[in-house]
Amino acid sequence: MKITKTQQPGSTMRYCREDHFGALVVQTARVIRRALDARISAEVTPELTGVRGMLLGEIVRANQENRDVYQRDVERWMQIRRSSVTAVLQAMEQDGFISRCSVEKDARLKRLSATPKGVAYHERIRVSIANFERDLQKGIEPAAQPLARMALEQVLANAQVLAGEQPAPQEGAAAHNG
């Protein structure tokens, strides 16, 4: 077992076992989330986190395209449980960024709409997230970025299979896709 040290400038030293790829991915995801939350809070408003900002952007775009958005859509987009989505949407509604309206055909469904406040913050959020994405990819050659994305998408797909969220690919399918 080999232990590797990972450190970004200005951060504390982190230790990951070289053979624990999943631990490195989890650690990376947590740091990205904290950094995005801090960026959105500082550049846009402390009322929003990075996840809420991205979600608001999706709702605004859907509203602009005259597409209905429901909680189940958010669950699919963000790949999180219903209870977590409910908590996020309730907080966004209480803070005045979105509204939830009953649908005539099914009272159980609530259509999500951005409020004027949500729409007003949308462009600032979009710019902040775009800058964050640019900063996140610093040091990765532009030609290597599609390969990095492909590798992360494959790790995500593998994790979804392990979690029972997707059926395993048929034998030999990966050889034809790679």
Side-chain angles (χ1 to χ4, degrees):
M1 165 183 74
K2 184 175 179 183
I3 304 288
T4 59
K5 294 179 183 179
T6 59
Q7 183 176 20
Q8 280 77 31
S11 69
T12 59
M13 185 66 68
R14 308 269 188 218
Y15 293 89
C16 275
R17 281 182 45 163
E18 197 170 84
D19 59 336
H20 284 190
F21 187 78
L24 179 60
V25 172
V26 168
Q27 183 180 18
T28 301
R30 285 183 180 143
V31 173
I32 288 171
R33 183 172 179 169
R34 285 195 310 267
L36 181 58
D37 287 351
R39 174 82 60 105
I40 295 294
S41 180
E43 292 181 359
V44 181
T45 176
E47 292 178 289
L48 288 171
T49 62
V51 169
R52 289 182 187 178
M54 289 186 287
L55 175 54
L56 180 60
E58 292 296 328
I59 293 169
V60 168
R61 279 188 291 283
N63 292 168
Q64 290 171 341
E65 296 167 4
N66 293 317
R67 289 186 291 117
D68 289 341
V69 180
Y70 303 99
Q71 178 167 330
R72 67 174 180 247
D73 298 318
V74 175
E75 292 166 15
R76 256 185 276 129
W77 291 340
M78 302 179 78
Q79 298 184 1
I80 57 177
R81 290 184 177 86
R82 177 181 294 166
S83 59
S84 298
V85 172
T86 298
V88 168
L89 293 176
Q90 285 175 343
M92 290 177 71
E93 187 174 29
Q94 287 173 350
D95 290 340
F97 291 101
I98 65 166
S99 63
R100 297 188 292 176
C101 305
S102 296
V103 177
E104 284 184 28
K105 62 183 178 184
D106 188 344
R108 296 172 297 176
L109 288 176
K110 303 282 190 217
R111 182 181 301 115
L112 305 176
S113 299
T115 62
K117 177 181 178 178
V119 172
Y121 276 101
H122 172 66
E123 181 59 19
R124 290 174 55 199
I125 294 165
R126 191 197 63 72
V127 168
S128 184
I129 290 172
N131 290 337
F132 181 82
E133 287 289 326
R134 182 201 63 228
D135 294 344
L136 190 61
Q137 295 178 55
K138 280 183 183 173
I140 301 174
E141 292 295 325
Q145 290 176 7
L147 183 59
R149 182 181 229 359
M150 192 170 62
L152 287 171
E153 287 173 350
Q154 184 61 57
V155 169
L156 174 60
N158 292 346
Q160 288 170 325
V161 168
L162 293 170
E165 296 172 4
Q166 272 187 0
Q170 293 181 347
E171 193 65 32
H176 296 295
N177 294 333

